[in-house]
Amino acid sequence: MAIECLVLGAGQDVGKSCVVVKMNGKKIMFDCGMHMGHHDHQRYPDFSRISSSGDFDSSLTCIIITHFHLDHIGALPYFTEVCGYKGPIYMTYPTKALAPLMLEDYRKVMVDRRGEEEQFTSENIADCLKKVTAVDLKQTVQVDKDLQIRAYYAGHVLGAAMFYAKVGDASIVYTGDYNMTPDRHLGAAQIDRLHLDLLISESTYATTIRDSKYAREREFLHAVHKCVSNGGKVLIPTFALGRAQELCILLDDYWERMSLKVPIYFSAGLTLQANMYYKVLINWTSQKVKDAYTTRNAFEYKHVCSFERSMINAPGPCVLFATPGMITGGFSLEVFKHWAPYEENLITLPGYCVAGTVGHQLMSGKPKKVAVDKDTQVDVRCKINQLSFSPHTDAKGIMDLVKFLSPKHVILMHGEKPKMISLQERIQSELGIPSYCPANNETVSIPSTHYVKADISDTLRRKAKYPNFKFLKTNPEGNSNRDFMAPPTDPLRVFDDRLTDGILCLDNGKKAKAVHQDEFLGMLGAEKHELQFAYCCQVRVGNSGNARNIEISGDTLPIIDKYSRLHLLNGKLALELAEVNIQDCGEHIQVESVSISVCLNDDCPHRVSETSLNNSEAIYFCCTWLAVDEELARNVISALKKLELSTTEV
Amino acid sequence: MKFTSLSKGKGFYFPPCHLLNICGFRVLFDCPLDLSALSIFSPVGIDEGEFRVSSCDDFRDSECSDKKRQKAEKPLDASNLIHAEPYYKTVNDLHLWNASFIDIVVISSYMGMLGLPFLTRKQGFSAKIYATEATARLGKLMMEDLVAMHAEFRQLYGPEESGSTQWMKWEELDMFPSVMKEIVIGKDGTELGSWMPLYSAADVMDCMQKVQALKYAEEACYNGTLLIMAVSSGLELGTCNWTISSPKGTVTYLSSSSFVSSMSTDFDYHALQGSDMIIYSDFTTWKAGNGVDDYIGCSAPSTYELSDFSNSENDWEVRAESLLKLDDGAEEVEKLSFLCSCSIDSIKAGGSVIIPIGRLGIILQLLEQIADSLEATNNKAPIFVISSVADELLAYTNIIPEWLCKQRQDRMYSGHSLFGHVDLLKDKTLQLFPTLHSLELLKSWEEPCIVFCPHWSMRLGPAVHLLRRWCGDPNSLLIIENEEYTDLALLPFKPMTIKALQCSFLSGIKLQKVQPLLNILQPKVLMIPEDSRQFIPTFNTSMSLKYFSGKETLCIPKYKTTSELDIATDLTLQIQWKKLRHKETSIARLKGQLLLEHGKQRLVFHNDQEASMQAKSLLHWGKLDLKSLLVSLQKMGINGFVEQENIDTESETPTLVHISEPRKALIEMKGTDTVISTDDEDLASLICRTICSNLDCI
């Protein structure tokens, strides 16, 4: 059995995340994103690789979307409405609620601003989202009889989830984007310890280790505070979802603490609508925000109000959140034109800006003038501040997750090739887990777990519940050259062998069945055959006053009856055979299965060898043992033969 | 598996309570409180002095006991009620069990949780408690509210009286009217021990910390053996059925369920399909006295009746009757709109409306609908929700789209709040107050108004005071649910001229839907109460039926003696199969380690594999055939003679084979025992191998 991963996007790249995983006959598409950097056919994953005939319904079992970012969901309306996929789609509740805002915003930018031909219409977006089944975290969803999926909290944006998928015995996790450290409004990613064949992880920051966010937050707040206290205006160009809410909470909180009265504005209704969703979906935010919701919903900002266009040139300080981020156009650009020429103002750019945008120009060096379009140039005299908040996990986080989950294989996606390769090597060398970072349109095939089904009987199951400890000595040399001063070299191994009496039976063409051996014999109607060995061993008895007795250093005891003889033998054997555990059971001595008892029967059938001593000089010890202990028994016997017991009476 | 039904409950407010022993673990289903039993106590705010004279103290003075009894059998009046700080009635049979022996508690609804602090505060209690997130949250609020409302009694009776149980003495009990006596000691007179003084807020906190909150369909694994999953039952916010999977099969606990949920997540029957056993525990629509013949009649339990003590208006009854003919969903919708129109009528007539209903789903829907009706009919009246947890409750309902039905979720997707009360709160049509005496309430109080407030038992909370205020106003309206002791509940407020509308809402599976449901779910075993026989006469015979009754532990026979075992592939490659002589069976020794994880038994590779093999002894079975043994021995170059042959296997004397070549040895055979004795190691092992080759072994 194998799991095949076809990477359609975000292979050694960031953008258009899309991977199709085939396991045990099911095909699951994880994410269906678009690439922001391309404006031709390359912006979408190459869907023809899934099915050349375009019959996606029969070739895909389901689509799973991890979060609402365009590079993870951007191609979904195109795939469902234009390409005609009609099968099930799963995403979390917040993703389902917020995705239309993102998609609609993107569609508008694409059509209205760039004047491109639209790839899908507003109706397409609405129709597409109607087909979506929303799932809750940790809820086990039975997609069909064999396929089970489950979402885990990923912390990247509101509603971001890692998805676990299981078909038969094979299981994988696809992380999407995730964050291993909590931020202002979201918690850290959380997942159960699962048995995984494959982990497909993002690796945006494959080599970066980030420090604490608090320093950067403080820096940001101070910059904003300084600006407004000098009467300046602060422009924060941001996308409607995610960062805007995080910074808003941060500022609102700070305003409250510092009792600032300067207004904070939100541009456009889009962000306000997004806020509504954030309020309803507060259960998907961090614990801290959740706990506080009854007294105050954190997204019910005290100091934030909406912005009117006429207020752009109103006097006095203020803070304004305006869309879109990166200042690619729209309202943020308009405000930028008005505010950039004044020294007291501040423009804060949260996060990454794509080349070619005004944001990117501002970030690269300290431009005096910025070309807004072909004809217009804007003087930039205001301060520029860049924020490097990122909702992605860093290399440590990725390593932690991989270590925690300990999957059998790792595939890295969503990153830059050189960094991914270095992380891949790290995973292989540090964790010993084979890992891959395939390029787009490559397929990785890995073996999957498979269990053979059998039945187990109740008797065996019950017996297997209780520990059955066995002690094994692993260094047999311990006997001969034993150095008392040397530290023990772990000669004893303990293991728990609970299945020792288990037998697996396979009748022709039937399911295998594991039973206890007693049951097994019962099934056969047979009886256990006891195969034993026996030997009646002669031991010389020394005469009284014999000098040899000194050997046993004064503790020579009179042999009065067979018990004391046995006892004596026990003591001698213990000296002779240091490494075995000898038990004195009164009637006999037991060494593993070897049982030694005094034999008074002169016709003992086990006295097979010729006798060299007469009865007055010797005592017979009858030994019996099982086949397993043959070697041990022979050792015992040869030790017996060498022995001489004293009959001295003191 | 063993099953004990501890209580069959009394409908929605007092769900059933059972104990199941599965795979050696004891699972308790729900831990409710019988709050309807509170009606034996006198409510707060009833003028104390008024009844002092006739309280039980006076009875004791009276010498003649016959006289007492006569007095007791008179029609009840408010003076019969107990004037003491109320005790609370728990599930009686639960006290028979040692709390420390319970391993798991699963809670199906917020009503099934109210008795939990009594259990969790017991010494030695260490069970894992599972409840859905919504149930846990709402249950906590309900318990906190209960504690808050009870505080009023504490204030009234003072700390020195709390814990006084004068009324619990037998001589006092004897003087109770029979209705009250039945409530106190139960029909069989054993339930006095189930009364407990209320838990504290700290107990509630402590209890909640022990609850593990689950999402719907989240798998919780207990001890690696049991997979426990809550599945939506469609009845109320967060209510659920449970499936418990073990290697031995799956058990479903079917609590009160609703197929037409107007608000909460729909009934999820997919997750229940394929269960081996179903414990049917929805008795809400089973009413005693409804025989086989008329069970269809009782299937529509929505009987509206204007109670005797109010001025009945005929057109209400006519309207109510027409409701009976409607089907489930529509029927429930009709009920609500009927309640709305009644409320509007009252407001129009200048009366106020008091709604002490405890079902959150109904409250939330009524809030929306009454506000809509008020607006539609151009009537203005404020709506108040008065409860110590009103604020938190309504705030909570608006952040749980995951626990609501499709229609509600669609409201969110289209950019609206989940419930209309958010907008009502904004425009001040709806106002929330923690208590009746809060300053804000006094400021904004105006009548007529519509008040939602606890408690439905009419013994606790603001409802008591408001009913006292309005019980003499014929224009006002009281909407209460049909409970067993409604008469007793309203006793202290008599004489009443307020209109009282008693209604019952669908709170479980209708009888005629039981059969179709079971046809879908197809369990192998169905556990159903003994008295179901009279309600459900015919049953699909393909499943085995087990009838349970209270106070009796039922052993459920195993439906299979084997369970699934998953053997890892790498291990199967190592298995060395051995064919049995004279049989078509292959056998092999089991190797590896048996793991029990996530309800599955797995055999995986064991690091100590080699070590364990060292110590393993061979198992031989069967009997030796002397002739073939001698032939085999000869082949190996071992010669000897048989000293005595014993064909009779029962005989004590063994068969002896003396070996003379190559060395001296003896083989002693007796039935299935063989002893080899020789001095020579090599010969011993040679003989041993030869014998083994003549035997089956592993």
Side-chain angles (χ1 to χ4, degrees):
Chain A
M1 299 283 169
I3 298 175
E4 280 170 35
C5 293
L6 170 61
V7 177
L8 290 179
Q12 304 176 353
D13 186 17
V14 176
K16 64 166 177 181
S17 284
C18 183
V19 55
V20 177
V21 177
K22 185 182 173 193
M23 52 181 190
N24 287 340
K26 303 286 167 190
K27 248 187 187 175
I28 310 152
M29 179 191 278
F30 290 98
D31 282 340
C32 190
M34 54 140 325
H35 203 296
M36 298 291 248
H38 296 288
H39 297 302
D40 51 5
H41 70 279
Q42 285 184 61
R43 80 175 111 203
Y44 294 138
D46 184 0
F47 295 123
S48 65
R49 283 174 190 269
I50 302 167
S51 161
S52 46
S53 66
D55 180 13
F56 299 115
D57 288 346
S58 56
S59 43
L60 281 182
T61 316
C62 71
I63 296 180
I64 291 169
I65 304 291
T66 56
H67 63 282
F68 61 67
H69 278 160
L70 287 175
D71 60 334
H72 293 261
I73 198 174
L76 188 66
Y78 175 79
F79 189 55
T80 59
E81 305 310 308
V82 182
C83 299
Y85 171 77
K86 289 182 188 58
I89 305 164
Y90 294 90
M91 54 179 82
T92 60
Y93 283 97
T95 308
K96 185 177 175 182
L98 295 166
L101 301 184
M102 289 301 272
L103 290 167
E104 185 56 33
D105 191 40
Y106 164 67
R107 196 196 62 82
K108 268 194 206 140
V109 171
M110 201 167 59
V111 177
D112 302 348
R113 306 234 170 86
R114 293 211 205 106
E116 281 175 49
E117 188 190 340
E118 65 177 10
Q119 300 286 321
F120 44 79
T121 62
S122 298
E123 291 75 48
N124 285 157
I125 298 174
D127 290 343
C128 167
L129 267 299
K130 269 184 204 144
K131 295 170 189 164
V132 170
T133 311
V135 300
D136 202 352
L137 293 174
K138 293 191 175 176
Q139 179 190 354
T140 308
V141 179
Q142 205 76 42
V143 176
D144 60 21
K145 208 170 109 286
D146 306 307
L147 174 60
Q148 231 179 38
I149 60 169
R150 197 182 302 148
Y152 287 98
Y153 196 74
H156 172 65
V157 288
L158 194 77
M162 309 190 202
F163 273 90
Y164 165 79
K166 181 178 174 224
V167 186
D169 299 317
S171 58
I172 69 163
V173 161
Y174 174 84
T175 63
D177 294 351
Y178 61 101
N179 192 359
M180 295 292 277
T181 46
D183 73 15
R184 276 290 148 176
H185 70 303
L186 297 172
Q190 248 184 339
I191 193 161
D192 293 336
R193 208 180 280 269
L194 302 155
H195 293 276
L196 297 178
D197 291 307
L198 173 65
L199 172 72
I200 304 176
S201 171
E202 69 132 322
S203 52
T204 320
Y205 292 95
T207 53
T208 322
I209 303 284
R210 278 183 322 213
D211 54 355
S212 147
K213 238 165 104 162
Y214 292 99
R216 274 169 302 173
E217 283 183 0
R218 213 164 36 234
E219 195 188 313
F220 162 74
L221 290 170
H222 283 165
V224 172
H225 191 173
K226 200 174 145 202
C227 175
V228 292
S229 56
N230 290 337
K233 293 175 160 61
V234 183
L235 170 66
I236 307 174
T238 149
F239 287 105
L241 299 169
R243 190 56 44 75
Q245 282 74 21
E246 186 188 352
L247 294 180
C248 250
I249 289 184
L250 194 62
L251 281 179
D252 200 52
D253 203 43
Y254 187 73
W255 253 232
E256 185 80 12
R257 275 189 287 135
M258 308 299 284
S259 330
L260 292 178
K261 293 284 175 285
V262 179
I264 302 172
Y265 294 114
F266 247 40
S267 80
L270 176 66
T271 330
L272 287 176
Q273 197 186 350
N275 269 349
M276 197 284 298
Y277 286 121
Y278 270 76
K279 271 187 247 170
V280 174
L281 296 163
I282 198 160
N283 273 324
W284 295 73
T285 59
S286 71
Q287 197 59 45
K288 201 178 144 202
V289 175
K290 256 192 278 184
D291 289 343
Y293 90 95
T294 35
T295 43
R296 189 170 76 93
N297 193 317
F299 297 103
E300 201 98 56
Y301 310 115
K302 280 188 188 152
H303 304 271
V304 180
C305 33
S306 63
F307 193 75
E308 301 293 325
R309 192 166 295 257
S310 59
M311 294 155 109
I312 293 180
N313 287 319
C318 70
V319 178
L320 171 67
F321 286 88
T323 52
M326 307 186 202
I327 324 184
T328 47
F331 195 62
S332 60
L333 183 63
E334 197 180 330
V335 176
F336 171 74
K337 285 185 204 163
H338 284 94
W339 291 4
Y342 301 97
E343 266 173 36
E344 68 270 23
N345 292 349
L346 170 73
I347 292 170
T348 295
L349 294 158
Y352 176 74
C353 292
V354 167
T357 59
V358 175
H360 189 257
Q361 291 183 57
L362 291 174
M363 276 164 58
S364 38
K366 287 217 181 286
K368 285 270 154 33
K369 277 179 189 297
V370 164
V372 179
D373 53 49
K374 269 177 254 147
D375 317 313
T376 335
Q377 286 214 321
V378 176
D379 292 322
V380 182
R381 293 194 197 89
C382 67
K383 286 181 265 326
I384 310 290
N385 185 347
Q386 201 210 335
L387 272 176
S388 55
F389 287 4
S390 174
H392 289 275
T393 176
D394 62 1
K396 186 179 175 298
I398 299 173
M399 290 299 284
D400 285 349
L401 184 78
V402 173
K403 202 171 163 190
F404 175 77
L405 287 173
S406 296
K408 297 206 176 80
H409 304 269
V410 175
I411 289 182
L412 297 175
M413 286 177 63
H414 200 281
E416 292 159 41
K417 189 178 175 182
K419 292 179 181 173
M420 289 166 85
I421 288 172
S422 101
L423 181 66
Q424 177 203 353
E425 282 161 0
R426 243 188 101 188
I427 293 173
Q428 292 198 344
S429 61
E430 285 179 28
L431 303 174
I433 297 171
S435 56
Y436 318 86
C437 41
N440 279 351
N441 300 330
E442 275 181 13
T443 301
V444 176
S445 185
I446 61 139
S448 71
T449 314
H450 178 67
Y451 289 103
V452 177
K453 303 279 173 215
D455 281 335
I456 181 165
S457 77
D458 285 353
T459 318
L460 181 60
R461 201 166 60 96
R462 210 167 35 245
K463 294 248 160 99
K465 266 189 196 169
Y466 305 106
N468 174 23
F469 292 115
K470 295 224 166 137
F471 304 90
L472 263 201
K473 289 185 177 169
T474 44
N475 58 338
E477 294 95 276
N479 176 23
S480 49
N481 10 309
R482 191 160 164 166
D483 184 355
F484 285 100
M485 300 308 287
T489 52
D490 183 33
L492 192 67
R493 276 175 76 198
V494 186
F495 66 98
D496 185 6
D497 190 20
R498 304 178 181 209
L499 284 174
T500 180
D501 293 334
I503 289 176
L504 197 61
C505 314
L506 186 66
D507 273 340
N508 258 355
K510 278 194 201 151
K511 199 175 180 183
K513 194 176 175 191
V515 294
H516 190 261
Q517 66 182 28
D518 296 346
E519 278 182 294
F520 171 72
L521 293 177
M523 277 159 57
L524 285 180
E527 242 180 284
K528 186 177 177 182
H529 193 112
E530 205 69 64
L531 189 58
Q532 276 193 327
F533 293 84
Y535 182 69
C536 201
C537 185
Q538 191 184 41
V539 175
R540 179 191 294 274
V541 182
N543 297 322
S544 56
N546 196 318
R548 276 169 173 270
N549 291 335
I550 297 156
E551 205 178 88
I552 8 177
S553 53
D555 62 342
T556 45
L557 285 169
I559 294 174
I560 300 156
D561 53 19
K562 61 178 182 178
Y563 298 116
S564 54
R565 284 175 189 173
L566 263 181
H567 189 72
L568 196 60
L569 180 72
N570 187 0
K572 291 241 183 186
L573 272 179
L575 283 175
E576 203 69 32
L577 303 163
E579 86 281 17
V580 297
N581 177 25
I582 305 170
Q583 288 173 318
D584 193 341
C585 307
E587 287 278 347
H588 64 274
I589 303 177
Q590 192 84 34
V591 186
E592 299 295 337
S593 72
V594 187
S595 158
I596 308 165
S597 54
V598 176
C599 183
L600 301 172
N601 178 9
D602 287 342
D603 300 323
C604 179
H606 308 310
R607 291 182 194 171
V608 278
S609 54
E610 308 299 324
T611 52
S612 51
L613 299 162
N614 63 40
N615 283 354
S616 62
E617 293 177 286
I619 309 168
Y620 284 92
F621 289 100
C622 212
C623 311
T624 59
W625 64 94
L626 296 176
V628 247
D629 292 315
E630 172 75 6
E631 202 184 322
L632 174 71
R634 295 294 170 190
N635 282 341
V636 171
I637 288 169
S638 62
L640 276 180
K641 283 180 176 168
K642 276 188 263 167
L643 279 181
E644 184 178 336
L645 294 178
S646 168
T647 51
T648 321
E649 282 186 60
V650 183
Chain B
M1 218 170 350
K2 283 177 190 164
F3 179 83
T4 317
S5 177
L6 303 178
S7 154
K8 271 181 64 187
K10 287 179 201 160
F12 176 79
Y13 289 114
F14 186 45
C17 178
H18 311 285
L19 200 58
L20 176 74
N21 192 329
I22 178 171
C23 289
F25 301 112
R26 283 209 184 84
V27 187
L28 177 71
F29 294 99
D30 287 328
C31 188
L33 273 190
D34 183 4
L35 290 172
S36 70
L38 276 180
S39 51
I40 61 165
F41 294 95
S42 175
V44 171
I46 299 292
D47 190 0
E48 270 299 295
E50 213 175 296
F51 299 112
R52 268 291 165 198
V53 253
S54 55
S55 77
C56 295
D57 297 318
D58 292 332
F59 287 117
R60 211 174 297 129
D61 295 338
S62 155
E63 294 297 311
C64 173
S65 63
D66 288 339
K67 230 178 177 178
K68 284 187 208 167
R69 199 158 302 279
Q70 269 178 2
K71 175 103 181 173
E73 291 309 322
K74 271 186 173 179
L76 279 172
D77 66 54
S79 66
N80 292 111
L81 299 176
I82 299 164
H83 292 261
E85 186 183 333
Y87 267 42
Y88 290 76
K89 199 178 181 190
T90 56
V91 174
N92 188 50
D93 289 2
L94 189 55
H95 294 278
L96 303 174
W97 297 79
N98 187 334
S100 59
F101 291 164
I102 297 171
D103 299 294
I104 303 165
V105 181
V106 296
I107 302 292
S108 316
S109 70
Y110 50 82
M111 296 311 296
M113 193 169 187
L114 298 185
L116 204 53
F118 287 126
L119 191 65
T120 53
R121 72 177 182 186
K122 277 195 186 170
Q123 207 174 8
F125 177 86
S126 61
K128 192 110 191 169
I129 305 168
Y130 297 103
T132 62
E133 258 175 29
T135 297
R137 192 61 185 253
L138 296 173
K140 176 175 170 261
L141 292 179
M142 303 266 162
M143 291 190 283
E144 284 171 353
D145 198 27
L146 196 61
V147 172
M149 288 188 291
H150 185 83
E152 224 177 335
F153 280 106
R154 286 264 158 85
Q155 280 168 10
L156 177 66
Y157 293 107
E160 72 279 1
E161 277 233 20
S162 72
S164 114
T165 51
Q166 192 64 46
W167 58 274
M168 278 176 119
K169 299 213 169 107
W170 281 107
E171 54 266 34
E172 296 271 345
L173 291 175
D174 262 352
M175 286 183 299
F176 282 157
S178 54
V179 184
M180 281 172 65
K181 196 170 165 187
E182 189 187 308
I183 295 176
V184 177
I185 59 170
K187 283 197 176 72
D188 52 2
T190 58
E191 294 177 8
L192 190 62
S194 63
W195 290 88
M196 309 271 275
L198 191 63
Y199 39 75
S200 66
D203 290 331
V204 176
M205 282 283 281
D206 192 44
C207 163
M208 290 314 296
Q209 273 168 2
K210 293 176 181 163
V211 175
Q212 185 178 342
L214 302 176
K215 310 264 189 187
Y216 279 142
E218 176 180 346
E219 286 177 351
C221 189
Y222 182 83
N223 198 21
T225 317
L226 301 179
L227 271 190
I228 299 170
M229 199 161 84
V231 177
S232 174
S233 69
L235 183 65
E236 267 282 342
L237 280 177
T239 59
C240 62
N241 297 317
W242 294 91
T243 68
I244 302 178
S245 317
S246 68
K248 301 288 289 175
T250 307
V251 175
T252 289
Y253 177 73
L254 195 68
S255 66
S256 296
S257 302
S258 168
F259 304 126
V260 279
S261 65
S262 44
M263 208 182 68
S264 49
T265 316
D266 287 335
F267 178 81
D268 180 359
Y269 63 87
H270 288 289
L272 307 182
Q273 272 174 321
S275 279
D276 295 292
M277 186 174 101
I278 288 182
I279 301 169
Y280 190 92
S281 180
D282 180 352
F283 318 119
T284 44
T285 53
W286 303 12
K287 292 211 176 94
N290 288 313
V292 177
D293 298 329
D294 58 10
Y295 84 94
I296 291 170
C298 89
S299 66
S302 56
T303 39
Y304 284 103
E305 42 186 80
L306 280 171
S307 21
D308 304 329
F309 32 79
S310 74
N311 304 327
S312 68
E313 281 171 44
N314 269 338
D315 62 334
W316 282 18
E317 276 176 336
V318 176
R319 272 193 276 176
E321 226 175 287
S322 70
L323 291 180
L324 290 175
K325 297 180 180 86
L326 293 164
D327 197 18
D328 280 13
E331 193 182 292
E332 293 300 304
V333 170
E334 281 291 307
K335 275 183 207 172
L336 290 178
S337 54
F338 176 67
L339 292 181
C340 275
S341 69
C342 295
S343 308
I344 300 295
D345 289 348
S346 274
I347 294 292
K348 271 187 198 159
S352 292
V353 184
I354 171 167
I355 309 175
I357 286 175
R359 295 181 59 167
L360 193 53
I362 303 290
I363 296 174
L364 292 172
Q365 290 179 69
L366 272 178
L367 267 178
E368 283 179 347
Q369 293 191 16
I370 289 180
D372 283 351
S373 313
L374 277 175
E375 204 179 310
T377 54
N378 242 332
N379 282 296
K380 277 222 177 293
I383 306 174
F384 301 112
V385 178
I386 307 168
S387 153
S388 60
V389 293
D391 211 10
E392 206 177 338
L393 199 62
L394 292 193
Y396 181 66
T397 55
N398 214 39
I399 57 162
I400 45 167
E402 302 87 358
W403 302 90
L404 300 178
C405 64
K406 283 253 150 20
Q407 293 87 315
R408 290 282 165 185
Q409 288 175 358
D410 286 342
R411 274 182 70 122
M412 173 187 72
Y413 294 134
S414 60
H416 296 96
S417 50
L418 294 168
F419 287 97
H421 58 70
V422 178
D423 303 322
L424 296 178
L425 279 172
K426 255 181 215 151
D427 62 24
K428 302 273 179 199
T429 318
L430 171 65
Q431 295 177 64
L432 312 178
F433 302 104
T435 52
L436 259 184
H437 53 264
S438 56
L439 197 62
E440 275 70 36
L441 182 135
L442 296 176
K443 275 187 210 156
S444 47
W445 186 258
E446 56 180 284
E447 289 183 34
C449 58
I450 295 166
V451 185
F452 290 83
C453 60
H455 185 265
W456 54 266
S457 66
M458 302 312 294
R459 289 297 178 269
L460 294 163
V464 177
H465 304 282
L466 290 173
L467 184 57
R468 291 267 299 157
R469 181 180 174 83
W470 291 326
C471 64
D473 177 9
N475 289 323
S476 290
L477 175 70
L478 168 71
I479 301 178
I480 48 168
E481 281 178 87
N482 230 340
E483 283 289 316
E484 200 180 346
Y485 302 115
T486 309
D487 277 350
L488 192 59
L490 294 177
L491 188 69
F493 306 97
K494 282 180 183 174
M496 292 175 38
T497 46
I498 187 173
K499 280 181 291 223
L501 186 59
Q502 284 190 55
C503 50
S504 53
F505 302 98
L506 189 64
S507 52
I509 302 167
K510 289 185 174 183
L511 283 174
Q512 67 266 49
K513 300 210 167 158
V514 174
Q515 185 75 55
L517 175 68
L518 293 171
N519 286 344
I520 296 172
L521 300 184
Q522 287 293 343
K524 291 193 189 79
V525 181
L526 177 69
M527 299 277 296
I528 197 153
E530 186 66 47
D531 48 7
S532 69
R533 294 181 204 250
Q534 54 171 317
F535 297 116
I536 306 162
T538 50
F539 254 121
N540 190 337
T541 46
S542 71
M543 50 195 147
S544 103
L545 285 172
K546 297 272 171 260
Y547 293 98
F548 61 84
S549 55
K551 305 193 192 303
E552 185 187 358
T553 295
L554 186 71
C555 281
I556 306 149
K558 290 177 183 174
Y559 31 81
K560 47 184 179 181
T561 54
T562 58
S563 45
E564 285 267 299
L565 175 70
D566 289 351
I567 304 173
T569 331
D570 50 350
L571 201 65
T572 53
L573 298 175
Q574 290 195 350
I575 293 179
Q576 289 150 6
W577 290 103
K578 193 165 176 181
K579 265 238 145 118
L580 279 186
R581 287 148 45 101
H582 328 297
K583 272 210 174 167
E584 281 302 287
T585 310
S586 303
I587 54 167
R589 273 277 174 197
L590 269 189
K591 288 181 200 171
Q593 194 177 14
L594 187 66
L595 299 180
L596 185 57
E597 43 184 29
H598 237 72
K600 282 218 164 84
Q601 295 174 114
R602 292 203 167 120
L603 194 63
V604 297
F605 189 79
H606 191 355
N607 287 335
D608 277 327
Q609 200 91 285
E610 294 315 309
S612 72
M613 286 322 287
Q614 277 179 30
K616 205 153 270 178
S617 62
L618 286 173
L619 171 72
H620 299 272
W621 65 91
K623 282 173 190 159
L624 278 174
D625 178 42
L626 187 61
K627 269 183 203 151
S628 54
L629 175 65
L630 286 174
V631 172
S632 314
L633 284 171
Q634 251 159 18
K635 272 187 201 155
M636 305 303 287
I638 301 168
N639 291 313
F641 62 92
V642 179
E643 184 191 289
Q644 42 183 308
E645 189 175 349
N646 224 322
I647 296 140
D648 179 16
T649 47
E650 298 301 309
S651 161
E652 278 299 300
T653 43
T655 305
L656 294 176
V657 182
H658 288 279
I659 306 290
S660 48
E661 256 178 275
R663 310 242 342 232
K664 224 179 143 188
L666 177 79
I667 304 170
E668 191 183 337
M669 294 185 288
K670 191 171 78 185
T672 53
D673 283 322
T674 302
V675 182
I676 306 166
S677 35
T678 170
D679 195 14
D680 187 78
E681 275 177 59
D682 299 332
L683 182 61
S685 70
L686 195 61
I687 296 173
C688 179
R689 276 207 304 276
T690 316
I691 292 176
C692 288
S693 67
N694 278 278
L695 282 172
D696 268 322
C697 83
I698 182 155

